[in-house]
Amino acid sequence: MHTDREIRGIRTAVAGWRGRGEYIGLVPTMGNLHDGHLRLVEAARRTADRVVVSLFVNPLQFAPGEDYERYPRSFEADAARLAEAGVDLLFAPDVATLYPDGGSRPPTRVEVPGLSDILCGAGRPGHFTGVATVVTKLFNIVAPDAAWFGEKDYQQLLVIRRLVADLCLPVEVFGVPTVRESDGLALSSRNGYLTPEQRAAAPALYQALTAARDAVLAGEEPGNADTAGWNRLQEAGFEPEYFTIRRAADLDEPGPEDRDLVALAAARLGEARLIDNVRFER
Amino acid sequence: MHTDREIRGIRTAVAGWRGRGEYIGLVPTMGNLHDGHLRLVEAARRTADRVVVSLFVNPLQFAPGEDYERYPRSFEADAARLAEAGVDLLFAPDVATLYPDGGSRPPTRVEVPGLSDILCGAGRPGHFTGVATVVTKLFNIVAPDAAWFGEKDYQQLLVIRRLVADLCLPVEVFGVPTVRESDGLALSSRNGYLTPEQRAAAPALYQALTAARDAVLAGEEPGNADTAGWNRLQEAGFEPEYFTIRRAADLDEPGPEDRDLVALAAARLGEARLIDNVRFER
């Protein structure tokens, strides 16, 4: 595996592969890799001839007061795991490479209206604009044929699908199912913020989502299932930010005729803000 | 010259050329072509192996109440001129091709903060976001190596240079000098809105800009030259929107040490909103 911090080196490597007709896959990450990320790499390797992983903790997607500074960084361990997983190229730019003007002027932004403003976007103003902007930049630098994202960040996946469609980016976007611990907790870098007691309570998030799914499948109104899920999280010691059942296609409120649904929640447990979701058809 | 209204056809044609190592040039236009556009095509032909022209009147860059509906359209004549000029491919999409969701939801936007909000951006809210968005889409569809824009739309040229830098778009951007009538009036589709009397008065715009340049070169303060230019436009029958001397690099207010300047103005003359600029070094 080759590692490069510069845009030029990435472009040269990818251009060489493309010149040989190879299909290029990209897995964007913020590092601190866990098995969920490795699942993305495996999925990419099954489809792509060459797999590029980007590792960049993107300041633009953290709101003021969020955990940008203390977000866990583990470059050496990450690079070793990616090399072992068969990644061809690791793009690990410095902040000044992707944002050369620093804070001296606001950078060009990619905004996905609507989808960016609800749920996690309501609780984290500017977050999805930061995501959409950096993903657009990564796509323009790497020029992949396809990119893989985790379904754990379901709203992010929809934002990226929409920006790709709207901006006519020539990239296929694939979602990869969430990887969970044996007790159901979705893998996340932010699980590392949990104390042992909080870690023991954390699976309640997934349990509340699957309970909401089961209630709706048994005929419950989504609105009632939302309330029950919110209460269940509070009882487990979470501070819920939202708990809601939405249409899977666009995260709008579901009507009686909508079949393809997703239960989503964000909740704080101690220092950690955890999110998870369960997709289902009724 | 081949004409295509579909994204797929454009991508197929360009991919074929790129596969042979050819250098692809793009000239984005809104049609109603005049000699200024043809100058862009000539510049592109001197550098690029293949020249693609896009012809699309972009609704997103017109504010409500502006001239989107009556903007002059002359597709057959335009296509004939482009074919004669040696253009390889004309991309003339329908509105529904670039904005498939119509007005049902707001599309993903590319925003260039700061530069988009001043001068023409102050008078035309949303205009440069519409420009930046459609240019990003055209770049993603055509995937040109380089694109050519007229210096008459100087602020637009800077917006595009900045979005290309900020979003890491792999496109070289070239500006082409303004083409003028023999009396100095810059060529523009909107000159067609002028009555014969207004047309006779219209060269005062360029004259006021060159007079401001000459005054600054003779030692006048830019602020005084701005006022003189504004008055001169009013005397000629214009309603000025702005008349200002700025730094050429970023359109900020010039300090005493700034050498590379541009005098810019926008003014209404009857039904036409005209813009022009003169770049100079002191």
Side-chain angles (χ1 to χ4, degrees), chain A:
Chain A
M1 183 181 78
H2 177 63
T3 299
D4 210 309
R5 297 194 173 272
E6 302 301 331
I7 292 171
R8 180 187 297 263
I10 299 299
R11 285 193 166 139
T12 302
V14 171
W17 295 330
R18 187 172 308 286
R20 298 202 289 277
E22 294 181 323
Y23 188 94
I24 316 293
L26 172 66
V27 178
T29 81
M30 298 211 301
N32 197 245
L33 302 179
H34 51 62
D35 287 351
H37 298 102
L38 273 290
R39 205 66 65 85
L40 301 177
V41 170
E42 289 162 19
R45 287 196 66 196
R46 280 195 294 275
T47 299
D49 299 307
R50 297 287 180 171
V51 174
V52 183
V53 171
S54 65
L55 194 166
F56 181 65
V57 183
N58 173 35
L60 203 64
Q61 72 190 68
F62 289 79
E66 288 189 350
D67 58 344
Y68 172 66
E69 297 297 340
R70 67 190 176 102
Y71 192 86
R73 281 138 171 115
S74 51
F75 181 78
E76 297 302 331
D78 292 345
R81 290 197 74 171
L82 294 171
E84 194 180 348
V87 168
D88 296 283
L89 180 59
L90 173 57
F91 179 42
D94 295 324
V95 171
T97 300
L98 289 197
Y99 300 106
D101 288 290
S104 67
R105 62 171 182 80
T108 298
R109 294 188 296 258
V110 178
E111 301 221 17
V112 181
L115 257 186
S116 294
D117 306 320
I118 59 174
L119 306 179
C120 283
R124 306 184 67 188
H127 170 66
F128 287 116
T129 296
V131 169
T133 301
V134 81
V135 168
T136 300
K137 289 161 74 96
L138 292 170
F139 284 2
N140 288 336
I141 291 165
V142 177
D145 296 292
W148 281 261
F149 295 88
E151 289 178 358
K152 201 210 85 183
D153 301 307
Y154 186 75
Q155 188 176 1
Q156 170 177 282
L157 179 60
L158 291 196
V159 166
I160 290 163
R161 285 192 194 284
R162 189 166 289 178
L163 94 87
V164 163
D166 281 1
L167 295 186
C168 308
L169 283 156
V171 181
E172 282 191 274
V173 174
F174 294 105
V176 175
T178 302
V179 179
R180 300 180 181 282
E181 304 280 6
S182 57
D183 59 7
L185 179 65
L187 298 195
S188 165
S189 290
R190 292 191 170 97
N191 294 348
Y193 298 154
L194 299 171
T195 66
E197 295 72 26
Q198 289 160 352
R199 174 64 190 80
L205 179 56
Y206 180 57
Q207 289 158 12
L209 290 164
T210 54
R213 172 197 64 197
D214 295 344
V216 170
L217 291 177
E220 183 62 279
E221 283 298 310
N224 293 337
D226 292 354
T227 307
W230 178 284
N231 292 338
R232 192 166 173 152
L233 285 184
Q234 280 195 319
E235 283 156 25
F238 285 84
E239 289 174 62
E241 191 178 298
Y242 64 81
F243 190 107
T244 186
I245 292 168
R246 297 293 176 99
R247 307 204 304 197
D250 56 13
L251 299 182
D252 276 358
E253 305 273 357
E257 71 293 345
D258 288 311
R259 298 273 162 267
D260 193 7
L261 303 176
V262 58
L264 313 101
R268 198 165 285 276
L269 187 59
E271 294 289 298
R273 181 184 177 279
L274 303 181
I275 63 173
D276 201 353
N277 69 87
V278 172
R279 224 177 131 168
F280 61 101
E281 278 188 59
R282 69 171 169 188

Side-chain angles (χ1 to χ4, degrees), chain B residues 14 17-18 21-26 47-50 52 139 142-148 164 169-174:
Chain B
V14 171
W17 296 330
R18 187 172 307 286
E22 293 180 324
Y23 188 94
I24 315 293
L26 172 66
T47 298
D49 299 307
R50 298 288 180 170
V52 183
F139 284 2
V142 177
D145 297 292
W148 282 259
V164 163
L169 283 156
V171 181
E172 282 191 274
V173 174
F174 295 105

